[in-house]
Amino acid sequence: MGQTLLKISHLHKKFGDRVILKDLNLEVKKGEVVVVIGPSGCGKSTFLRCLNALEDIQGGEVLLDGEPVRKDASNVSAMRQKIGMVFQSYDLFPHKTVMGNILLAPLKVQKRDRQEVEREAVELLGKVGLADRRDDYPRQLSGGQKQRVAIVRALIMHPEILLLDEITAALDPEMVHEVLQVVLALAKNGRTMLIVTHEMAFARAIADRILFLEDGEIVEESGDPKAFFEKPQTERARQFLRSFEY
Amino acid sequence: MQSLGIDVLFKGTNFIRLLGGLWVAVRISLISVALSILLGLVVGVLMTSRSKILRALFRIYLEIVRIMPQMVLLFVVYFGTTRVFGWNLAAETSAVIVFTFWGVAEMGDLVRGALISIPKIQYESAEALGLVPTQTYRYVILPQTVRRLIPLSINLVTRMIKTTSLVMMIGIVEVLKVAQQIIEANRRVSPNAAFGVFAVVFLLYFLICWPIGRLAAYLEKRWA
């Protein structure tokens, strides 16, 4: 694990008067997988959305490779190309085929060569097990398949970091596995990722580091996921984890 | 059984005249529809503007169009403006003005509806891929908007074609007026012509509007 890729310092986020994130600090190193967990409404998703400037921030800064990511900056498109994001509801473009979804940004934004991008797209689709679905429309796919396409759509941009925002939360249980397998394979290949999830077993398996977020604050941070899940240090994390037991 | 009186249509050039009248109706609708779509797109985008004043103005415009019967609008534009402003508008020009005035408002509202029905996350997932706003509109939002719009606007087109039957009230000789003339001219020899001729007019409207309606249904299904 190498140098710092993403540096978040004193991040403040408010919606009107409501404070969502208070003075958040985090460094993500190249190749690291950081998993953010916490109760609903604790600000996890907003946190991820601040990192690629889908939300403006009221204080602090987000640096990628030492360069600020800001919603109002003129280089926001260039910065977002380095930050891949996959959403809970997949959000493929319904009027485009699988291939059309994947090719849009590399061709129109990065102006890459069509043949080269197509070759890469086919290869990536093969890796996620969807080689034969390239000409299907999103409505012809299952949720798990859509989410795998969304991952490919993000990967083809060659992002330096991948943000995954509860990517299995909208899936039927039997489809969660196929998506998480893809993410596990990415982690094995050294992909830097910041993951928000409610799948605790998955978090434990994939995380290099766990952040427990509550009320817009990092309540507990642990570089040892196994220890965190077995013996959390704070009472609030303990309570939260207990809510997953039956 | 009594004669239906359709035979009068085959006398002289009657049927050709009837088709000529149909063309007048279709021509007025085509021009109005084309103008309505072009201007309606602009108005629709403005209707989603952040400016409250702009939104209120278009709201009032839309309500006026909805409340006011098209015939009253036709009379105001054709007869009213002559005295008050001294304009000498041709009847067909007046008809196009009124139909466009109507069409732009309704089309604008359809565009507005289609635009706001595209979920915010579609904009966001495009932006997250690095698309700038113009690219987001061009490749992601507008194609989806147009797909939602086409079936709805085709509906408006058929309503417009049907409503052109009103323009005979300002002296335009369109299909319905021609039909009346044919019936009047043959009142003695073929007193039943009213039934047959109007039935044919009905059929002509049907032949124009039905395929358009089918097209809308087809597109709606294809793009659902």
Side-chain angles (χ1 to χ4, degrees), chain B residues 65-87:
Chain B
V65 170
R66 284 193 175 154
I67 289 163
M68 197 111 144
Q70 274 86 29
M71 185 130 68
V72 178
L73 274 175
L74 274 174
F75 285 173
V76 168
V77 172
Y78 184 62
F79 298 116
T81 58
T82 314
R83 295 288 305 181
V84 177
F85 303 111
W87 296 347

Side-chain angles (χ1 to χ4, degrees), chain B residues 99-121:
Chain B
F99 278 71
T100 305
F101 182 74
W102 166 36
V104 170
E106 297 246 7
M107 191 67 200
D109 199 44
L110 293 178
V111 172
R112 183 192 63 82
L115 273 177
I116 60 172
S117 74
I118 308 284
K120 191 168 157 242
I121 191 94

Side-chain angles (χ1 to χ4, degrees), chain B residues 1-222:
Chain B
M1 199 179 111
Q2 289 200 318
S3 135
L4 292 180
I6 293 180
D7 51 310
V8 300
L9 285 175
F10 301 105
K11 284 189 195 157
T13 57
N14 279 354
F15 195 64
I16 304 290
R17 282 179 58 216
L18 199 64
L19 288 182
L22 186 66
W23 169 240
V24 172
V26 170
R27 186 172 62 206
I28 292 173
S29 356
L30 280 182
I31 298 174
S32 310
V33 163
L35 288 173
S36 300
I37 289 176
L38 284 178
L39 297 172
L41 280 171
V42 179
V43 167
V45 172
L46 292 178
M47 276 173 163
T48 63
S49 131
R50 288 208 186 108
S51 154
K52 271 191 184 156
I53 303 167
L54 215 54
R55 283 207 314 264
L57 280 176
F58 282 116
R59 191 78 230 163
I60 294 168
Y61 166 40
L62 181 64
E63 289 304 323
I64 289 175
V65 170
R66 284 193 175 154
I67 289 163
M68 197 111 144
Q70 274 86 29
M71 185 130 68
V72 178
L73 274 175
L74 274 174
F75 285 173
V76 168
V77 172
Y78 184 62
F79 298 116
T81 58
T82 314
R83 295 288 305 181
V84 177
F85 303 111
W87 296 347
N88 184 15
L89 292 176
E92 215 175 302
T93 314
S94 310
V96 168
I97 290 173
V98 167
F99 278 71
T100 305
F101 182 74
W102 166 36
V104 170
E106 297 246 7
M107 191 67 200
D109 199 44
L110 293 178
V111 172
R112 183 192 63 82
L115 273 177
I116 60 172
S117 74
I118 308 284
K120 191 168 157 242
I121 191 94
Q122 283 287 316
Y123 292 83
E124 291 180 342
S125 65
E127 280 168 26
L129 287 166
L131 274 74
V132 296
T134 51
Q135 290 170 326
T136 302
Y137 265 99
R138 180 161 163 211
Y139 299 115
V140 178
I141 304 304
L142 285 181
Q144 294 185 56
T145 310
V146 169
R147 276 169 173 72
R148 285 175 197 213
L149 209 53
I150 284 179
L152 300 171
S153 49
I154 285 178
N155 243 324
L156 179 62
V157 171
T158 53
R159 269 163 59 214
M160 276 195 171
I161 293 175
K162 287 185 288 183
T163 315
T164 51
S165 54
L166 293 178
V167 301
M168 64 180 267
M169 302 303 291
I170 58 170
I172 297 178
V173 183
E174 46 68 77
V175 61
L176 204 57
K177 189 73 198 172
V178 176
Q180 261 187 359
Q181 291 171 346
I182 294 173
I183 294 162
E184 290 289 314
N186 294 282
R187 211 172 48 202
R188 298 224 177 134
V189 283
S190 186
N192 289 341
F195 187 87
V197 174
F198 282 139
V200 169
V201 169
F202 168 79
L203 199 69
L204 289 176
Y205 273 115
F206 178 80
L207 287 178
I208 300 256
C209 291
W210 189 72
I212 298 178
R214 294 311 305 154
L215 179 68
Y218 168 75
L219 291 176
E220 204 160 358
K221 213 172 127 195
R222 214 189 118 185

